[in-house]
């Protein structure tokens, strides 16, 4: 395995992860680095950054999938962008092992490393979960979920068997945090609109189920707001089960801890996240949840103090919350923190590169939270101010439309929303995305026409 060294004879800043934190950190570095001062290298399995807060709206058909992603090369002019997965980090010798998809792994050296690998779905060892469920952490999952749900509507519209129709139109969502509630509400809104277009289906044919292990939903909002969310979902005909676990979903037969059992063709898992597993294959310090331990200035630290040359923030790091509001004393893993940690990390790394010893401390008191729950429906909490309905929905769209990186994507998203409001949501599914060669293979293998 070859070790690729920095041929430009200047320090390499290696950013592991091209998500929100990695992209914005790289942009800030490129903007402020002097000519020839350092090489910025970004490594990610995908050539784009995904704006995760928009995944529910992509799944619900309110945003075009490509508008929720930001291409890395186009927006990181002057940086090296490497498309591949980091499989091992050896900070003692300052190199990583990178595995491009379908190609041979190689090693890449660095002088400074920024850990911005984000988080992945935290799945539990539930029988059938890995085989039958889908998460909602990637743009591909959002697109697949949208088309799967709409295709099930088309298929159910032709079904004469009541049991098969019930299975096709039963949608189970596990996890009542922000991501889970938004995904459930957006898809329910889309499905109701889809039912109205199909004469053989009625709302009574559709069942949505939310399974949440805790006694409440949305821990980020107050008790009153959380109770309103549950009441609102139930008013839309959604079955909400609190203090309930999914115990088994083998062969799409869902067994709940409350004793209920039913079949469902769609099972969506949104029950939390965990730090990216790439950190396990490293010699960097991790806490008991697999996150890199860092100081408030975002330098990695272990029991002996600062780990020189290593920086981390975002979902894969245990960033101290100096406001005292964060659970366990740490910042919650969300975009609101990532977008603000990135410039602090970049400024501190530049200061270190230039031999300075004074670093900024990351401090941010949460502005509040906003969530969309389908067209014209939302919930928000700004301090003690609680809003519901169209105003909260508009705040959600305004905030995230502003927060998605690059002017290009902001314009596309707002135009997309505007067109949908005027022309209506596009409810056309795309078939056979997972087997795009299906029709060609069938045509190639078909029998030739008989000779006359």
């Amino acid at each position: 395995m070859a070790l690729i060294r920095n041929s430009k004879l200047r320090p390499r800043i290696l950013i592991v992860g091209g998500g929100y934190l990695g992209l914005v950190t790289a942009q800030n570095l490129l903007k402020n680095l002097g000519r020839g001062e350092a090489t910025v290298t970004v490594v990610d399995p995908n050539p784009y950054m995904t704006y995760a807060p928009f995944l529910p709206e992509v799944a619900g058909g309110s945003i075009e999938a490509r508008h929720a992603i930001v291409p890395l090369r186009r927006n990181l002019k002057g940086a090296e962008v490497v498309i591949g997965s980091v499989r091992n980090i050896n900070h003692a010798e300052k190199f990583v092992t990178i595995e491009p998809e379908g190609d041979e792994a190689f090693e890449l050296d660095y002088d400074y490393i920024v850990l911005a690998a984000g988080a992945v779905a935290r799945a539990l060892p539930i029988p059938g979960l890995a085989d039958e469920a889908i998460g909602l952490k990637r743009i591909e999952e959002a697109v697949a979920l949208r088309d799967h749900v709409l295709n099930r509507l088309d298929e159910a519209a032709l079904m004469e068997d009541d049991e098969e129709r019930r299975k096709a139109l039963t949608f189970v969502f596990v996890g009542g945090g922000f991501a889970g509630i938004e995904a459930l509400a957006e898809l329910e809104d889309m499905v109701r609109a889809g039912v109205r277009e199909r004469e053989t289906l009625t709302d009574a044919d559709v069942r949505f189920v939310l399974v949440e292990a805790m006694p409440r939903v949305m821990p980020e909002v107050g008790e009153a707001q959380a109770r309103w969310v549950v009441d609102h979902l139930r008013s839309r005909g959604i079955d909400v089960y609190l203090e309930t676990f999914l115990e088994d979903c083998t062969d799409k037969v869902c067994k709940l801890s409350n004793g209920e059992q039913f079949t469902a063709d769609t099972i969506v898992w949104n029950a939390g996240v965990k730090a990216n597993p790439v950190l396990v294959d490293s010699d960097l310090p991790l806490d008991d949840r697999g996150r890199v331990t860092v100081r408030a200035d975002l330098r990695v630290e272990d029991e002996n103090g600062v780990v020189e040359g290593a920086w981390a923030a975002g979902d894969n790091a245990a960033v101290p919350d100096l406001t005292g509001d964060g659970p366990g004393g740490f910042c919650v893993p969300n975009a609101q923190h990532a977008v603000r940690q990135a410039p602090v990390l970049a400024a501190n790394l530049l200061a270190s590169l230039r031999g300075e010893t004074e670093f900024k401390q990351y401090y941010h008191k949460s502005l509040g939270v906003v969530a969309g729950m389908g067209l014209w429906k939302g919930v928000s909490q700004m301090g003690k101010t609680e809003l519901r309905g169209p105003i909260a929905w508009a705040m959600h769209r305004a905030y995230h439309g502003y927060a998605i990186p690059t002017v290009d994507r902001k314009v596309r998203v707002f135009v997309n929303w505007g067109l949908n409001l005027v022309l209506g949501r596009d409810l056309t599914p795309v078939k056979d995305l997972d087997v795009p060669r299906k029709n060609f293979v069938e045509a190639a293998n078909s029998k030739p026409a008989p000779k006359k």
Side-chain angles (χ1 to χ4, degrees):
M1 186 183 299
L3 173 61
I4 299 179
R5 297 195 178 277
N6 191 352
S7 61
K8 297 181 180 179
L9 300 178
R10 56 192 184 194
R12 171 181 277 131
I13 301 170
L14 178 65
I15 300 177
V16 179
Y20 205 128
L21 178 77
L23 171 69
V24 179
T25 298
Q27 287 178 322
N28 277 268
L29 288 170
L30 293 167
K31 179 180 177 181
N32 294 290
L33 279 167
R35 184 180 181 87
E37 190 174 7
T39 298
V40 177
T41 303
V42 179
V43 183
D44 195 273
N46 301 306
Y48 51 79
M49 165 261 179
T50 300
Y51 188 65
F54 279 160
L55 291 178
E57 289 205 53
V58 171
S62 292
I63 293 178
E64 166 65 34
R66 288 174 298 170
H67 299 170
I69 59 177
V70 179
L72 296 178
R73 287 194 174 93
R74 179 176 178 179
N75 292 282
L76 293 177
K77 300 294 185 183
E80 295 178 340
V81 177
V82 179
I83 307 304
S85 299
V86 173
R87 297 303 185 194
N88 176 267
I89 302 171
N90 187 328
H91 190 66
E93 298 184 31
K94 291 193 174 178
F95 72 86
V96 297
T97 302
I98 299 173
E99 187 177 288
E101 187 172 354
D103 206 345
E104 187 177 344
F106 62 92
E107 293 173 346
L108 185 69
D109 74 336
Y110 63 84
D111 298 278
Y112 299 87
I113 190 169
V114 176
L115 299 164
V120 299
R122 179 177 59 87
L124 300 178
I126 297 171
L129 185 68
D131 297 322
E132 308 295 353
I134 186 171
L136 197 55
K137 286 289 294 175
R138 295 172 53 110
I139 196 71
E140 294 84 357
E141 291 173 323
V143 173
L145 185 57
R146 174 187 180 276
D147 290 332
H148 166 78
V149 168
L150 290 173
N151 279 315
R152 296 312 282 148
L153 284 176
D154 281 339
E155 293 161 8
L158 300 175
M159 290 177 180
E160 296 183 357
D161 186 285
D162 290 341
E163 186 174 338
E164 283 299 308
R165 187 188 303 112
R166 277 195 297 271
K167 177 182 177 182
L169 297 181
T170 297
F171 307 97
V172 179
F173 289 73
V174 184
F178 251 67
I181 295 292
E182 286 189 304
L184 164 65
E186 290 286 351
L187 278 159
E188 189 268 349
D189 208 43
M190 181 185 74
V191 166
R192 299 298 181 191
V195 166
R196 290 192 291 272
E197 291 188 350
R198 293 161 175 83
E199 294 181 357
T200 57
L201 296 180
T202 68
D203 283 339
D205 294 318
V206 177
R207 184 186 185 193
F208 276 83
V209 180
L210 173 65
V211 180
E212 169 52 47
M214 303 299 289
R216 56 163 292 178
V217 299
M218 286 187 167
E220 300 89 345
V221 302
E223 289 283 352
Q225 286 289 72
R227 287 194 298 271
W228 179 86
V229 169
V230 171
D231 291 341
H232 170 75
L233 293 177
R234 286 174 172 161
S235 74
R236 290 163 64 169
I238 299 170
D239 294 330
V240 179
Y241 296 118
L242 302 179
E243 298 183 270
T244 304
F245 300 88
L246 176 66
E247 294 185 335
D248 196 318
C249 59
T250 303
D251 297 328
K252 297 186 182 295
V253 178
C254 297
K255 298 178 182 178
L256 307 184
S257 61
N258 62 7
E260 187 167 351
Q261 179 174 315
F262 53 86
T263 57
D265 258 352
T266 308
I267 303 166
V268 184
W269 182 264
N270 264 307
V273 297
K274 63 181 180 180
N276 197 306
V278 66
L279 303 174
V280 175
D281 294 318
S282 75
D283 54 357
L284 293 164
L286 307 179
D287 68 1
D288 57 358
R289 295 176 59 184
R291 302 173 299 181
V292 185
T293 54
V294 300
R295 295 188 174 191
D297 59 15
L298 307 180
R299 289 183 293 172
V300 176
E301 71 169 353
D302 58 19
E303 64 276 7
N304 298 316
V306 172
V307 178
E308 293 298 334
W311 304 76
D315 296 359
N316 69 177
V319 180
D321 188 343
L322 299 183
T323 69
D325 295 336
F330 299 103
C331 296
V332 296
N334 62 22
Q336 188 178 142
H337 280 297
V339 71
R340 289 168 175 82
Q341 288 168 359
V344 174
L345 193 158
N348 286 346
L349 199 159
L350 280 172
S352 176
L353 178 67
R354 293 164 181 168
E356 300 174 19
T357 57
E358 294 293 326
F359 303 109
K360 298 178 182 178
Q361 303 286 296
Y362 175 70
Y363 179 96
H364 171 66
K365 191 168 183 64
S366 176
L367 301 174
V369 290
V370 289
M373 301 176 67
L375 196 60
W376 304 109
K377 298 176 281 289
V379 61
S380 73
Q381 182 155 344
M382 305 294 175
K384 295 182 179 180
T385 303
E386 299 178 343
L387 297 172
R388 303 159 185 169
I391 295 177
W393 169 83
M395 291 172 60
H396 167 264
R397 287 202 161 182
Y399 173 76
H400 286 297
Y402 163 79
I404 187 171
T406 78
V407 173
D408 165 59
R409 261 29 189 188
K410 296 179 199 295
V411 171
R412 291 177 188 272
V413 165
F414 279 111
V415 169
N416 201 164
W417 280 335
L419 289 174
N420 279 353
L421 288 176
V422 174
L423 304 175
R425 183 183 352 219
D426 189 340
L427 296 174
T428 307
V430 178
K431 296 179 67 67
D432 300 328
L433 275 178
D434 54 337
V435 283
R437 295 180 64 250
K438 177 182 176 183
N439 284 354
F440 175 77
V441 171
E442 289 177 352
N445 292 328
S446 62
K447 294 181 180 179
K451 294 181 180 180
K452 293 184 180 180

